[in-house]
Amino acid sequence: MTMGGDYSTYLLDIEGTVCPISFVKDTLFPYFTKQVSQLVLQQDSGDSPISEILSQFYIEDKQQLQAHILELVANDVKDPILKQLQGYVWAQGYEAGQIKAPVYADAIDFIKRKDRVFIYSSGSVKAQKLLFGYVLDPNVATHDSLNLNAYIDGYFDINTSGKKTDAQSYASILRDIGVGAGEVLFLSDNLLELDAAAAVGMATGLAVRPGNAHVPDAQKYQIYKTFEDL
Ligand SMILES: CSCCC(=O)C(=O)COP(=O)(O)O
Ligand SMILES: [Mg+2]
């Protein structure tokens, strides 16, 4: 088989696959946690989307609510309500020019070059569109950013499709995309996600990027250090 195989459709994870884990852990999560106190204080101030999302935690006490959210972030819990909330908070940072996503240059090229590219991340669809809407341009020494959304054919998250470690989630995505499993290559840094996708017949590739966690059984998977050859 060639490095790239023969796929009509590509499904991409985000963190550790198209951008460094450090961007999420050292930029996105700290930006969010800095805003949490303010967010919680504003909870009664109206029917904004953020207040509506916060109410879904069903925690009345503001200190308890704040502690609960901080604990979810500290433990990187893929909680659907937290993920919705993060999207709204990060929007402020992206729109103010404070956050730009360091998507790998080969991933930018890949997304532009391939006809059918879909994204599946634990980050909400809103957060995904922001990330790809404000990409740090690797080729230009300016403060400009790239918008890759026009090159992406669809977005899936844990609200639309379920947990990334469940095979059923990939079956649901296949139904939504309307292709057979054998036509799809799913790329991720997480073996549990790759195994879940493989269980429904998708081809899988392990993204090995700088800063990713060591993968003990990496040799069992097709490894991609870059998407240049895909
Ligand atoms: C959409 S960017 C935010 C990333 C995030 O919140 C996250 O949990 C990363 O999950 P992934 O499935 O992309 O590894
Ligand atoms: Mg990942």
Side-chain angles (χ1 to χ4, degrees):
M1 191 173 96
T2 65
M3 277 290 284
D6 190 16
Y7 308 103
S8 69
T9 305
Y10 296 86
L11 182 63
L12 305 180
D13 165 56
I14 294 180
E15 181 187 16
T17 298
V18 303
C19 76
I21 289 176
S22 60
F23 171 60
V24 177
K25 299 285 187 288
D26 301 338
T27 299
L28 289 181
F29 285 3
Y31 183 92
F32 176 80
T33 53
K34 270 195 205 145
Q35 316 291 325
V36 164
S37 310
Q38 182 89 359
L39 283 179
V40 171
L41 285 175
Q42 285 172 345
Q43 192 188 3
D44 295 332
S45 65
D47 53 3
S48 68
I50 287 181
S51 295
E52 204 278 317
I53 295 168
L54 281 171
S55 72
Q56 294 176 43
F57 284 115
Y58 293 105
I59 301 175
E60 293 290 327
D61 182 86
K62 289 187 190 308
Q63 285 196 330
Q64 278 182 19
L65 177 58
Q66 187 180 332
H68 177 66
I69 294 169
L70 288 174
E71 195 180 347
L72 292 176
V73 177
N75 293 308
D76 195 11
V77 178
K78 309 295 188 186
D79 177 272
I81 306 170
L82 171 71
K83 292 291 155 191
Q84 294 284 343
L85 186 59
Q86 286 176 326
Y88 279 93
V89 173
W90 291 331
Q92 298 164 5
Y94 283 110
E95 286 161 9
Q98 294 168 321
I99 307 176
K100 288 190 178 68
V103 177
Y104 294 116
D106 62 272
I108 295 174
D109 174 64
F110 178 83
I111 289 167
K112 285 182 169 176
R113 182 160 50 84
K114 294 293 181 182
D115 280 342
R116 287 168 60 79
V117 174
F118 295 83
I119 306 296
Y120 183 28
S121 170
S122 303
S124 67
V125 167
K126 181 178 178 69
Q128 297 174 31
K129 288 181 177 174
L130 286 163
L131 188 149
F132 289 107
Y134 294 90
V135 171
L136 191 63
D137 187 338
N139 298 314
V140 184
T142 70
H143 297 292
D144 291 346
S145 59
L146 302 171
N147 184 347
L148 298 182
N149 283 305
Y151 301 96
I152 295 171
D153 295 274
Y155 306 83
F156 301 98
D157 66 15
I158 50 180
N159 284 293
T160 64
S161 313
K163 284 169 57 179
K164 294 179 74 184
T165 49
D166 286 351
Q168 282 309 314
S169 306
Y170 297 86
S172 160
I173 289 172
L174 287 173
R175 282 194 296 275
D176 287 344
I177 296 176
V179 293
E183 290 183 51
V184 182
L185 175 64
F186 173 55
L187 296 165
S188 173
D189 61 323
N190 183 319
L191 298 190
L192 297 176
E193 295 173 7
L194 296 180
D195 290 346
V200 298
M202 280 187 194
T204 60
L206 175 65
V208 175
R209 299 289 197 173
N212 282 11
H214 172 69
V215 178
D217 287 332
Q219 74 283 353
K220 289 199 304 192
Y221 298 83
Q222 177 76 52
I223 289 176
Y224 295 95
K225 293 185 175 175
T226 164
F227 300 162
E228 277 169 14
D229 298 322
L230 272 166

